[in-house]
Amino acid sequence: MMHGLQNLIGELEQDCSLNEPDRLRQRIDALDRLDAYLDGQLDGPLPAIITQSIAPEIYPRAKALYVRLEQANSELYQTIRLEIQRSAERYELLQRLASQSNQSDNTTSPTVGEGYDYLDELVSGVLQFEEPSTDIAQLPAEMVFYQPTPARHIFDLIHRVALTERDVLIDLGSGMGHVPLLAAICTSARSIGIELEAAYVDCARQSAQALNLNNVAFIQQDARTADLSTGTVFYLYTPFIGMILRTVLDSLRREAATRPIRICTFGPCTAIIAEEPWLEAVGPLETHRLAIFRSRN
Ligand SMILES: C[S@@+](CC[C@H](N)C(=O)[O-])C[C@H]1O[C@@H](n2cnc3c(N)ncnc32)[C@H](O)[C@@H]1O
């Protein structure tokens, strides 16, 4: 263990490129590798099991490296937040970093699957949610608990749907608001999040306000009774199932009778929504990837 950690520290100390803002992905990878040795114990005294296997001079070097890498990440998040707040080319850096996920040298496609990666760290560093200030209420049956869409799928949505200033994106069951917030940052469309849990709505509103975003709104409401009349694109990350999903799909079908709409889905609800005769898939339906449907004429 000690030799492995020593070699890793030597390698990382020599790699000056890790300080460059755009090397976020490599920094997060380096932090993960350090964590694997130190078991995430860089604050306070190390547990005996780790001190026995690490030479005393190694630990301060590991800690200094860790602090330097985290500092570089914080500076990057702050730079992006300032760009967003000033709304000057506010999404350029965010999009450049997001596009790195498509240049993966991994063998698996980066857009597939429900796991989280460095882009989720980037997004939480930029959106900086406060912890919910009140307890989260238990959800009734058929309503799905909160879990955010992995960030790479949100960037995939933004890229594939090509939202314009004429679009209104409505996230049904928006949780803390990752999807409407990122859409508001990265596009000229208006975004709305509809979420039952008031504590999540508060967090989303605070994040939007701190970033000076004026093209996004969050409404605390049951999606079954929400006004869907302004939406052109709807997003569902399996927020509900069964009769609740049926009711909301019926509302969306009525909206589609008045104008063309698109529906983006992620997770198990995709298979159910794919059966709706008034919708057609845009492109192939791939498991574990975001799906896009449009209403038939
Ligand atoms: C799987 S999470 C998706 C969160 C968010 N859309 C995202 O992708 O990051 C589902 C969310 O839907 C909310 N939800 C469940 N039933 C709802 C309903 N009937 N009306 C509004 N929100 C609901 C839950 O509180 C939860 O935050």
Side-chain angles (χ1 to χ4, degrees), residues 166-187:
R166 290 187 303 280
D167 281 307
V168 177
L169 170 75
I170 300 185
D171 183 2
L172 295 164
S174 51
M176 303 271 263
H178 291 69
V179 177
L181 288 165
L182 280 181
I185 291 167
C186 296
T187 79

Side-chain angles (χ1 to χ4, degrees), residues 143-144 146-149 171 173-175 195-196 221-223 237 239-240:
M143 297 194 188
V144 178
Y146 175 55
Q147 195 175 328
T149 301
D171 183 2
S174 51
E195 168 59 48
L196 195 61
Q221 198 171 15
D222 188 318
Y237 176 18
F240 22 73

Side-chain angles (χ1 to χ4, degrees), residues 19 24 34-35 37 56 88 94 103 122 125 133 138 153 180 182 207 211 218 246 248-249 260 273 290:
N19 292 334
L24 174 72
L34 284 171
D35 261 341
Y37 282 106
L94 196 57
Q103 296 160 11
L122 166 67
S133 57
Q138 191 140 15
H153 293 291
L182 280 181
S207 176
L211 289 170
F218 293 94
R246 182 69 265 149
V248 173
L249 284 174
I273 294 174
L290 192 119

Side-chain angles (χ1 to χ4, degrees), residues 2-20:
M2 198 179 86
H3 287 306
L5 178 60
Q6 209 160 8
N7 290 343
L8 175 62
I9 290 173
E11 178 198 322
L12 297 177
E13 282 175 342
Q14 282 179 15
D15 187 354
C16 299
S17 73
L18 282 173
N19 292 334
E20 291 164 20

Side-chain angles (χ1 to χ4, degrees), residues 59-73:
Y59 180 63
R61 282 173 64 196
K63 185 159 184 163
L65 246 176
Y66 207 92
V67 169
R68 173 165 72 84
L69 296 173
E70 288 218 306
Q71 179 64 28
N73 287 353

